[in-house]
Amino acid sequence: MKAAILTAPQNVAQRPLTISEVAQPEPGPAHILVKVRACGVCRTDLHIVEGELGPARAGLTPGHQIVGEVVAGATDKLPQGKRVGVSWLGGTDGSCPYCRRGLENLCDSPVFTGYTVDGGFAEYARARADFVFPLPEALDDLQAAPLLCAGIIGFRSLRVAGVEKGERVGLFGFGSSAHLALPVLLSWNCEVFVSTRGASHRQLATSLGATWAGSALDRPPVALDRAITFAPSGDVVVAALASLRKGGIVAINAIHLDRIPEFDYDRLLWGERQIRSVANMTRSDARDFLQIASEINLRPKVTAFPLDQVNQALLAVKNDSIDGAAVILP
Ligand SMILES: [Zn+2]
Ligand SMILES: [Zn+2]
């Protein structure tokens, strides 16, 4: 089969992924093999190929928003030909203190799709049968792919930020994840304020129903109850913090930040404001989000790239040069 292989992490402009002919994986016990129909591109893929997340296995195939159809290892629940989604959390041990507390997103021995095991920038991918999700029928492959990490983890960020119905919520950065969180917030009657670089992202935010859209470090015109940051930038976290009312929460939806700059505790954090990170996802986040996505008829904005343009797709995510999500069609 054809697969995108990472030989050595480097700047994505140097084209770190090469398309190679490799052996098709065997499903093995408790796993299924899917034929990949689409695989979304996430900022985490970028951090993996550029080496910001610590060494990936040599010869890794990234990609963790896989829409695939079961072709081997079928079970009663997952029959041959069934369309399923595979996400970032590819498996847990089920036995560590975090798993036992229902916090499988913090598992001590996790498997991450497209990072600790091969992912979906390939024609076929292997996945643990108990970590795949049935997908809403109404969504085609292209539209379903970005829901699987951008959507699920964006949704988890809203939970971590403690968003309640009718609140004022800031989204700092407006890529794939934020543009999927916005319609969920509107369905909860929240008012949404978007700070993002790039005029086209501001336009998209307004067209999707944001009350206000400003540039990356602009402060929204009202004090926010909650803020979620998506850019891998500590300056943005501080800007978000500066926009909060007393008792408000900033949730950082980023697996990597450049740094956290020094900031004024008395003015920005005192008053029981909180900064929280958002780490990974649980299977119940996935199921709950896919249910809501189906109910509100969530339709991501996507740009498709063929597998041999995977480096260009990553570059587009890095430069914020497309609106919505990039998706690879192998
Ligand atoms: Zn565990
Ligand atoms: Zn991701």
Side-chain angles (χ1 to χ4, degrees):
M1 67 166 189
K2 273 202 276 181
I5 305 287
L6 178 66
T7 38
Q10 55 185 324
N11 189 299
V12 74
Q14 311 297 316
R15 307 173 62 86
L17 293 172
T18 46
I19 307 301
S20 307
E21 200 62 42
V22 300
Q24 189 174 307
E26 298 287 334
H31 286 67
I32 56 166
L33 184 70
V34 298
K35 183 174 194 328
V36 179
R37 287 159 58 151
C39 186
V41 180
C42 172
R43 192 167 282 278
T44 299
D45 298 314
L46 187 65
H47 295 318
I48 291 169
V49 305
E50 294 200 323
E52 284 151 340
L53 284 197
R57 197 165 49 71
L60 176 76
T61 295
H64 58 268
Q65 305 187 83
I66 307 170
V67 176
E69 108 187 37
V70 179
V71 292
T75 62
D76 288 350
K77 271 193 186 159
L78 297 170
Q80 197 78 7
K82 170 94 177 157
R83 189 175 76 141
V84 294
V86 184
S87 188
W88 171 243
L89 190 67
T92 57
D93 56 13
S95 59
C96 77
Y98 297 101
C99 285
R100 280 190 270 122
R101 283 184 190 135
L103 301 169
E104 67 180 3
N105 59 308
L106 301 178
C107 179
D108 282 332
S109 311
V111 171
F112 294 125
T113 311
Y115 185 42
T116 61
V117 297
D118 285 332
F121 296 157
E123 289 178 309
Y124 294 88
R126 182 178 182 267
R128 229 172 91 168
D130 53 347
F131 277 80
V132 302
F133 310 100
L135 295 169
E137 296 278 328
L139 289 176
D140 66 26
D141 299 338
L142 258 182
Q143 290 174 321
L147 302 187
L148 290 163
C149 176
I152 295 167
I153 296 183
F155 176 69
R156 180 175 182 83
S157 311
L158 305 183
R159 287 184 157 170
V160 169
V163 174
E164 290 180 23
K165 290 193 173 164
E167 287 191 324
R168 289 171 165 166
V169 181
L171 303 178
F172 289 74
F174 203 70
S176 181
S177 202
H179 101 288
L180 293 171
L182 193 154
V184 174
L185 288 167
L186 295 181
S187 78
W188 295 342
N189 295 318
C190 291
E191 262 187 285
V192 183
F193 299 82
V194 173
S195 298
T196 185
R197 62 178 182 174
S200 79
H201 286 195
R202 290 195 287 276
Q203 232 163 40
L204 177 63
T206 313
S207 75
L208 290 174
T211 299
W212 173 90
S215 66
L217 301 175
D218 272 0
R219 190 192 294 202
V222 295
L224 302 173
D225 300 301
R226 319 283 161 187
I228 297 104
T229 69
F230 298 89
S233 152
D235 291 326
V236 171
V237 173
V238 173
L241 196 55
S243 313
L244 285 185
R245 66 159 166 82
K246 286 180 277 188
I249 299 177
V250 176
I252 304 173
N253 178 342
I255 195 167
H256 159 80
L257 280 192
D258 52 359
R259 78 209 197 292
I260 286 275
E262 195 174 300
F263 62 84
D264 186 292
Y265 169 82
D266 300 13
R267 191 170 57 85
L268 294 184
L269 199 57
W270 191 80
E272 301 199 342
R273 294 174 179 89
Q274 296 179 52
I275 303 180
R276 301 187 63 187
S277 64
V278 180
N280 311 315
M281 53 174 278
T282 65
R283 281 172 286 181
S284 71
D285 293 328
R287 284 188 286 261
D288 295 349
F289 170 69
L290 290 169
Q291 174 69 34
I292 289 176
S294 171
E295 284 166 12
I296 66 174
N297 204 19
L298 190 58
R299 285 281 182 281
K301 193 168 167 61
V302 294
T303 303
F305 293 82
L307 183 59
D308 59 11
Q309 284 179 27
V310 65
N311 291 299
Q312 288 92 322
L314 284 161
L315 194 60
V317 170
K318 182 175 185 174
N319 294 339
D320 281 332
S321 63
I322 50 168
D323 285 333
V327 176
I328 303 297
L329 293 177

